[in-house]
Amino acid sequence: LDLVNKNPAGYSFAKSTDGGASFTRSFIVRPTPISDTLSKGGFRLLADPSNADHLAFFFLDARNGDNDIYATATFDGGGTWSNPARVNDDPIGKGVLQDMVWPAFSADGNLAAIWRDRRNGADTGYASATDTYYAYSTDGGITFSKNYRMSDSTAPYETLLDNPGNDFMSAAL
């Protein structure tokens, strides 16, 4: 919920330095709604264990016509946020969806993200075969490396994924 602009389609960050008696708020991002309702579009906010003022926020965005992974970062405890950076590097607007992003910081502040990616599937949209990809950032989430495939084979689409339930991935550095 974007409490700054009263727009429910955006994300804001609220911070208290007095035990919750008062809050300061900053606007993070207003993403373009994702293009497929089955996609696992959960966002992730995480803190750098080596720098309390450094946070990263990951989300899905369909500004290019299909789901892409984006990230934004703050280095001043949530006061200001960087321009969103596209994390996946497949061709833009080809109908290939990414979802289930899971980022992680290492103990010394390195940042990486993994996600489910359909770029090697035969179809577009959610019901396509998937791989797991990752990328890393050496500047705290402002830019990301080329993408690396983690899976050694592309998993065929399984209709079980259409059912309600919990899907999880995890990352550790």
Side-chain angles (χ1 to χ4, degrees), residues 47-119:
D48 179 345
S50 69
N51 178 353
D53 287 332
H54 180 205
L55 306 168
F57 184 76
F58 287 77
F59 59 98
L60 289 186
D61 192 296
R63 68 183 68 186
N64 298 312
D66 53 33
N67 294 0
D68 288 315
I69 307 292
Y70 277 85
T72 181
T74 180
F75 297 89
D76 61 7
T80 58
W81 294 83
S82 65
N83 289 328
R86 185 171 180 257
V87 179
N88 53 288
D89 64 5
D90 62 307
I92 290 177
K94 295 290 187 178
V96 174
L97 302 183
Q98 286 78 23
D99 66 352
M100 283 182 53
V101 62
W102 204 280
F105 276 109
S106 67
D108 61 358
N110 290 317
L111 179 61
I114 66 169
W115 64 90
R116 184 168 58 183
D117 196 302
R118 294 165 179 81
R119 72 180 73 184

Side-chain angles (χ1 to χ4, degrees), residues 34 36-41 99 116 118 126-127 157 161-163 167:
I34 58 175
D36 191 308
T37 59
L38 290 175
S39 296
K40 308 310 182 221
D99 66 352
R116 184 168 58 183
R118 294 165 179 81
Y126 182 80
Y157 177 73
L161 296 172
D162 292 343
N163 297 324
D167 296 331

Side-chain angles (χ1 to χ4, degrees), residues 21 25 43 46-47 56 61 74 79-80 84-85 100 119-120 128 136 142 154 160 165 169 171:
R25 292 177 172 80
F43 60 87
L46 62 157
D61 192 296
T74 180
T80 58
M100 283 182 53
R119 72 180 73 184
N120 298 322
S128 185
Y136 63 87
I142 304 298
T154 302
L160 177 67
M169 282 205 311

